[in-house]
Amino acid sequence: MAVTNLDERKICFIISKSDLSKYKKTVDSLTTLICPKGYEVLVRSFTENNTAAAYNRIMRENDAKYKIYVTAGTEFINENLLAELIDIFRKNWAIGIVGTSGAVVLPTNGISLSAIKRVGKVMMPDGISAWSAIDDTYQKVQLIDSFFLATQYDIKWRDDLFLSEIFAKAGQCVEFKKQYYLTVVAKQPAIPWCKLENLPTAYDETERNLFLNEYAKDIYPLVSILIPTYNRPYFFEKALHSAVTQSYKNIEIIIGDDSTNDDTKKIVEKYQKKYSNIFYQKNKALHCTVRERSYANYNSIFHKSHGAYINYLNDDDLFHPEKISKMMNYYLEYDNIALVSSYRIFINENDEETVFSGYKSLKVNNDIILDAKSAIRTLLLKANNFIGEPTTALVRRIDIDNNFGTFWGTSFHCVNDMAQWLESLKYGDLAYLKEPLSCMRVHKGQKPKDSAIRFAFKNDLFSFYTLSYSHFFGFENEEEFIETIKKWLSTYASENTVFAAKEELKQKTSLFYDKDIIETFLKNYTKAKNIIKGNILQTNIATNNSPVQHMSIFLQELLSNQKGQHICYINEQAELFIRKFKNLNTSLVTYKLQMKTDKIDSTATFLPFMMENKVNLSIKQAANFFDCIVLFDNIMQWRQPDNICNGGNQKIYYWN
């Protein structure tokens, strides 16, 4: 606990005397300081090698409220230093430590001088070294630079951990924080308080690791490394080792094991004896397809995690030891970053770097911050997942919509990584690092790229395009969207591809066969062909203006103009918009179409929306009832939409 009942009229300078010339330089400069009236200034020295232990001894021996721990050789050049320092402490009782410079955000290496966000100033032989300006009397920081540290309360120094001055003072900043006191840097409005010959850049690597091991959980956000695995114990152990040896210290590792034996479990138990941050679950659920099993495992371990940041690690891939540390620095230092990825290399079964043309990669000369719009358009328009696989990128948990790989509320099983990158980029920019911080392994034991998986990929791309366009996302205009659909057709959905899909339905030869994948592809192919023909949104009224580009604008205008009339819509996507805009027209009566199948036929029934009218309507009654009919995706299974009107005068709108 902090000692607070100290003599408010005493100021004590504490300086090492191990180097007499430096000690004398500091003490001589004390004569330039003005002592506030009624205050007593004391000087205490020590020669012990254990700086923290010496600080504790001196702290016990005197009751000065204001103690100033100074690196020998520091000179004081602002005569009003003491008055300005006491004024800061008096302004806020919660201030525990005051420094002259420091890190607003501490980088993951624990060194304040390497921080990007720094404040304060100090006089150097060649002039004033100043970092970001301070607007108020002081600014809160995570860590102050070690050459000057002033306190107004006594808290025990960690002499059980640190010998050196740098990390003893770094640890003291965290100890004050743990007792809810602030560490701040003074504004120093006139001239700096201190002059240095050089900044104290040398540090002891052992003590730096001690500092991070002890205080990482108090300083840095928790990162969850999630490892889904299945019958790959040899590769899995290498992946796990790359996770536990990360330099970033505040990590939890969660493993979801779908294996059919206990080989992986035995490896985990061996590592758990040494590492307390590994959590393991053996999945017992049975799934019909590999896709379902993999998807369930991904989601299960995500929902068992607690980290503010998430990084999946495929069980045959590897992390660079500095991966999480270097990526987290971008989240810590830049407020606009929503996704961090890097260049990655490909390795074979023997951990040897190899060339693999099956996946795209982006090589840059320097770390870059790519604005979200540019990154999104590259992903969408070029179908180029340059960001990488789940192993490659570190994601903010807040940007994951229920499950990893959900984009605009839609889940993706095949390329959930690309879906997540698009979802994350809704909320900020991309930091892309030049250094290869992960390795993707290419080996014979991976899932073969059979036809079902290829069709799933094609379906996912088509969903990216249509979802993005309907939500004003990525595409500049309708023409750009149509050109992208044309490219999808020519690249992924030729007539030969459709023929292969039909054969797949007949033969069911795919190892990972899923009938829905092929059927969905055939529907998407038909929709794409109709989009090319201009059937994005159109009407059967010849005098109608040019096609409306976006569903939400169209429905808002429609509901605003249809006063006291009846409208019908088809699917849930339309229902969401109608719920949103219906308050514009409370007299409008709306129905939705209820079908037993996805084909609109004579069995279809129109149900009242929100129980406005309890009368159900058959499809034959529609012509004499509806003033307006809005049809969405299902129009592709309804080959003659005009038939519903039986020659009536209704307006029919449809969106594909």
Side-chain angles (χ1 to χ4, degrees):
M1 294 294 292
V3 178
T4 59
N5 56 336
L6 301 168
D7 191 332
E8 296 186 3
R9 293 292 172 174
K10 289 183 180 178
I11 304 168
C12 181
F13 287 87
I14 303 169
I15 314 163
S16 172
K17 204 173 184 179
S18 57
D19 187 319
L20 286 175
S21 62
K22 289 183 178 180
Y23 172 78
K24 187 176 185 304
K25 180 184 290 187
T26 300
V27 172
D28 288 347
S29 70
L30 289 175
T31 60
T32 65
L33 301 182
I34 298 174
C35 180
K37 187 176 181 181
Y39 284 80
E40 178 184 1
V41 174
L42 310 171
V43 178
R44 297 290 182 266
S45 63
F46 64 93
T47 57
E48 296 101 308
N49 290 329
N50 189 326
T51 301
Y55 286 166
N56 279 329
R57 175 181 60 79
I58 295 171
M59 192 170 63
R60 291 191 301 268
E61 292 173 354
N62 82 84
D63 62 349
K65 179 177 179 64
Y66 305 111
K67 294 183 174 69
I68 304 174
Y69 303 86
V70 186
T71 299
T74 302
E75 296 180 84
F76 302 107
I77 57 174
N78 185 332
E79 63 181 10
N80 295 315
L81 183 158
L82 296 177
E84 291 178 10
L85 174 65
I86 293 171
D87 180 61
I88 291 173
F89 278 129
R90 284 183 170 179
K91 281 182 181 296
N92 189 345
W93 63 268
I95 293 176
I97 293 175
V98 176
T100 59
S101 60
V104 178
V105 176
L106 186 65
T108 56
N109 63 8
I111 307 298
S112 65
L113 285 170
S114 66
I116 294 175
K117 291 185 177 180
R118 287 179 48 80
V119 292
K121 56 186 176 182
V122 63
M123 182 67 74
M124 301 296 292
D126 56 351
I128 295 176
S129 288
W131 295 275
S132 296
I134 297 173
D135 296 329
D136 206 340
T137 309
Y138 57 84
Q139 181 168 328
K140 180 182 174 182
V141 296
Q142 282 191 306
L143 218 65
I144 53 94
D145 297 331
S146 61
F147 54 85
F148 181 98
L149 183 150
T151 65
Q152 66 171 331
Y153 308 115
D154 288 352
I155 290 178
K156 186 178 184 299
W157 292 75
R158 292 298 301 271
D159 54 12
D160 58 326
L161 289 177
F162 307 114
L163 297 175
S164 72
E165 181 180 19
I166 288 179
F167 285 104
K169 289 180 176 178
Q172 196 69 348
C173 291
V174 186
E175 292 295 331
F176 269 78
K177 176 187 175 183
K178 290 168 70 173
Q179 296 198 35
Y180 305 102
Y181 292 113
L182 303 177
T183 295
V184 305
V185 166
K187 183 176 183 178
Q188 306 166 84
I191 58 175
W193 290 353
C194 303
K195 180 181 179 181
L196 303 178
E197 286 299 318
N198 51 65
L199 291 171
T201 56
Y203 59 85
D204 183 271
E205 181 64 17
T206 300
E207 290 209 344
R208 186 184 75 88
N209 285 321
L210 283 171
F211 172 77
L212 292 174
N213 287 330
E214 180 71 18
Y215 294 120
K217 293 180 180 179
D218 299 301
I219 301 172
Y220 305 116
L222 177 66
V223 174
S224 297
I225 297 177
L226 309 181
I227 311 178
T229 185
Y230 177 73
N231 286 349
R232 287 175 179 160
Y234 176 72
F235 290 145
F236 164 79
E237 183 167 7
K238 292 188 173 187
L240 178 59
H241 185 266
S242 76
V244 298
T245 53
Q246 286 295 297
S247 62
Y248 189 83
K249 301 302 181 182
N250 194 15
I251 285 175
E252 66 173 8
I253 301 169
I254 301 179
I255 300 158
D257 186 10
D258 278 337
S259 299
T260 57
N261 53 52
D262 289 333
D263 292 350
T264 299
K265 181 180 180 182
K266 291 175 183 177
I267 293 170
V268 173
E269 288 173 344
K270 179 180 68 175
Y271 276 78
Q272 284 178 321
K273 292 177 181 178
K274 184 176 180 180
Y275 301 98
S276 61
N277 62 334
I278 300 175
F279 305 92
Y280 171 85
Q281 68 173 27
K282 183 65 176 289
N283 301 322
K284 298 179 180 179
L286 298 177
H287 300 281
C288 296
T289 67
V290 172
R291 182 177 68 149
E292 290 176 354
R293 172 177 57 76
S294 177
Y295 186 69
N297 198 1
Y298 255 73
N299 293 338
S300 177
I301 55 178
F302 169 69
H303 290 291
K304 282 182 166 52
S305 68
H306 306 88
Y309 297 85
I310 303 293
N311 207 142
Y312 280 89
L313 172 57
N314 290 338
D315 62 354
D316 49 357
D317 293 343
L318 298 176
F319 280 170
H320 185 285
E322 297 288 326
K323 180 186 194 298
I324 302 299
S325 288
K326 291 188 176 184
M327 290 189 171
M328 276 303 302
N329 276 333
Y330 276 86
Y331 280 121
L332 295 173
E333 300 279 11
Y334 297 94
D335 297 332
N336 61 316
I337 297 299
L339 186 63
V340 182
S341 188
S342 74
Y343 181 69
R344 88 283 203 206
I345 60 175
F346 302 101
I347 57 174
N348 60 21
E349 292 93 335
N350 302 316
D351 300 336
E352 299 166 335
E353 186 172 350
T354 186
V355 176
F356 184 57
S357 60
Y359 292 84
K360 297 178 180 179
S361 194
L362 174 64
K363 195 163 189 176
V364 294
N365 294 325
N366 299 290
D367 294 351
I368 59 172
I369 294 179
L370 189 63
D371 67 277
K373 181 178 179 181
S374 298
I376 289 165
R377 288 175 61 78
T378 300
L379 289 168
L380 278 177
L381 274 62
K382 298 182 180 180
N384 178 2
N385 185 9
F386 68 95
I387 294 174
E389 298 70 48
T391 294
T392 319
L394 180 64
V395 185
R396 296 190 306 191
R397 185 188 199 90
I398 195 173
D399 298 333
I400 297 175
D401 182 9
N402 188 37
N403 290 323
F404 180 89
T406 301
F407 176 56
W408 290 116
T410 300
S411 296
F412 294 81
H413 295 194
C414 181
V415 287
N416 58 345
D417 46 10
M418 186 170 169
Q420 185 58 58
W421 311 157
L422 289 168
E423 182 71 22
S424 293
L425 290 168
K426 293 179 186 177
Y427 308 106
D429 298 330
L430 167 70
Y432 189 89
L433 282 56
K434 67 175 182 179
E435 186 178 358
L437 296 178
S438 61
C439 301
M440 178 183 175
R441 192 184 300 277
V442 183
H443 58 93
K444 296 178 181 178
Q446 290 170 317
K447 290 187 298 184
K449 295 295 182 181
D450 72 355
S451 56
I453 293 176
R454 290 196 297 271
F455 284 124
F457 171 74
K458 304 175 205 302
N459 290 339
D460 284 353
L461 277 185
F462 188 81
S463 294
F464 289 150
Y465 300 146
T466 54
L467 281 170
S468 297
Y469 182 68
S470 64
H471 287 87
F472 309 88
F473 187 80
F475 295 107
E476 295 287 349
N477 49 52
E478 180 181 309
E479 289 73 22
E480 194 171 70
F481 170 63
I482 292 175
E483 286 302 313
T484 303
I485 296 299
K486 286 180 179 179
K487 183 179 178 181
W488 181 86
L489 277 170
S490 62
T491 306
Y492 303 106
S494 65
E495 295 291 342
N496 290 335
T497 312
V498 175
F499 174 79
K502 291 179 179 178
E503 289 300 307
E504 188 77 44
L505 282 171
K506 293 178 183 178
Q507 300 177 17
K508 301 182 181 179
T509 57
S510 168
L511 180 61
F512 302 101
Y513 179 79
D514 186 337
K515 180 180 178 181
D516 289 343
I517 293 176
I518 310 299
E519 289 182 341
T520 300
F521 171 74
L522 293 173
K523 292 176 183 178
N524 288 339
Y525 176 78
T526 305
K527 290 180 183 180
K529 297 289 282 186
N530 278 275
I531 288 173
I532 300 303
K533 294 176 183 177
N535 292 342
I536 298 179
L537 179 66
Q538 66 182 33
T539 174
N540 66 342
I541 306 300
T543 57
N544 192 47
N545 294 327
S546 60
V548 182
Q549 292 186 18
H550 294 287
M551 185 193 301
S552 59
I553 295 176
F554 162 67
L555 282 174
Q556 185 171 7
E557 293 177 352
L558 181 67
L559 294 176
S560 299
N561 297 327
Q562 296 288 332
K563 302 298 183 182
Q565 298 187 15
H566 298 78
I567 183 172
C568 168
Y569 58 91
I570 298 298
N571 67 358
E572 292 182 358
Q573 191 174 14
E575 180 174 340
L576 293 175
F577 285 105
I578 288 179
R579 284 181 182 273
K580 179 178 179 181
F581 295 124
K582 190 176 182 305
N583 61 340
L584 298 172
N585 186 353
T586 56
S587 64
L588 191 69
V589 180
T590 56
Y591 279 70
K592 61 181 177 180
L593 183 64
Q594 178 71 26
M595 298 174 294
K596 294 181 180 179
T597 68
D598 62 357
K599 182 178 180 181
I600 302 175
D601 55 23
S602 60
T603 65
T605 303
F606 294 97
L607 303 178
F609 175 50
M610 298 179 65
M611 300 306 292
E612 295 161 315
N613 187 324
K614 295 184 179 181
V615 178
N616 294 351
L617 299 171
S618 70
I619 197 165
K620 292 182 179 180
Q621 296 171 305
N624 298 321
F625 186 81
F626 292 118
D627 302 290
C628 182
I629 302 172
V630 182
L631 311 176
F632 288 86
D633 291 337
N634 307 74
I635 190 63
M636 300 316 302
Q637 285 73 53
W638 193 3
R639 298 191 180 279
Q640 292 180 308
D642 294 350
N643 288 349
I644 195 173
C645 299
N646 293 325
N649 294 319
Q650 294 89 347
K651 293 180 180 179
I652 301 178
Y653 302 89
Y654 59 93
W655 178 290
N656 299 312

